[in-house]
Amino acid sequence: TQLLEQSPQFLSIQEGENLTVYCNSSSVFSSLQWYRQEPGEGPVLLVTVVTGGEVKKLKRLTFQFGDARKDSSLHITAAQPGDTGLYLCAGARSGNTGKLIFGQGTTLQVKP
Amino acid sequence: EPEVTQTPSHQVTQMGQEVILRCVPISNHLYFYWYRQILGQKVEFLVSFYNNEISEKSEIFDDQFSVERPDGSNFTLKIRSTKLEDSAMYFCASSLAGGPAREQYFGPGTRLTVT
């Protein structure tokens, strides 16, 4: 069974703090995508990482793919209330047909 | 900015009835997908579709489910005889390219409630 485990599941922090969300698996993925999902809406793509060790930045968000392509992290610097939401990681296996395996998500609350 | 659209946003149906969920993928995309999310659970893959054929389907996607691209713009998911456990958010997604770096863009979802 291919699983992606996200931690922590819930995170409540004050505005201005930094945080890191982790996405781990025992399986190798050919790529990993991070999404943000608001209640009652579809996941919105934030970033795709493909190469082991790859780091991508999106404003205050930094995404890293592990060297072995089994894990990924999302780091947010100086969190803002607008960052509040559900963050999902999703992995694709090599040679497959686009099937994404999703983690259970990390719910982030940033208090003003 | 191009986006995936889905209709209806909410569908209520009785157990045993057929439902068709509709999606309009991003216009130049070639790969299409359906996922579902039962309340409080993970997003789960149902099926991928390319070149008018199913590329892969999950164990959830049994004989009660079918997909179709009836014209150049729509992509539909049909559930022939709905069960209570089919109640979920159903998301359509599309991507331009295949391969490991394919980026999937999701629609806003259809909430299906089976009573």
Side-chain angles (χ1 to χ4, degrees), chain A residues 4 30-31 33 35 37 40-43 45 48 50 96-100 102 104, chain B residues 33 35 37 42-43 45 48 55-56 89 91 100-108:
Chain A
L4 274 173
S30 60
S31 68
Q33 302 185 14
Y35 291 86
Q37 185 179 27
E41 298 181 13
L45 181 65
T48 301
V50 180
N96 81 353
T97 53
K99 171 183 176 180
L100 286 178
F102 277 81
Q104 77 275 36
Chain B
Y33 317 87
Y35 292 81
Q37 186 176 32
K42 294 184 185 184
V43 176
F45 170 81
S48 58
S55 308
E56 184 175 357
M89 281 288 282
F91 295 108
R102 67 179 79 191
E103 296 183 329
Q104 295 185 27
Y105 295 88
F106 283 72

Side-chain angles (χ1 to χ4, degrees), chain A residues 36-71:
Chain A
R36 180 172 157 179
Q37 185 179 27
E38 300 299 331
E41 298 181 13
V44 175
L45 181 65
L46 296 174
V47 79
T48 301
V49 285
V50 180
T51 307
E54 182 176 6
V55 176
K56 281 193 174 177
K57 293 195 175 196
L58 188 66
K59 297 183 183 177
R60 293 176 292 99
L61 277 60
T62 301
F63 304 85
Q64 182 159 12
F65 203 9
D67 291 341
R69 292 186 288 134
K70 292 182 179 182
D71 54 83

Side-chain angles (χ1 to χ4, degrees), chain B residues 28-58:
Chain B
N28 61 338
H29 283 192
L30 301 175
Y31 298 79
F32 314 109
Y33 317 87
W34 283 100
Y35 292 81
R36 79 171 186 191
Q37 186 176 32
I38 295 171
L39 188 63
Q41 297 187 21
K42 294 184 185 184
V43 176
E44 301 174 286
F45 170 81
L46 291 178
V47 67
S48 58
F49 190 86
Y50 169 70
N51 200 26
N52 280 320
E53 288 184 346
I54 289 175
S55 308
E56 184 175 357
K57 58 184 181 179
S58 71

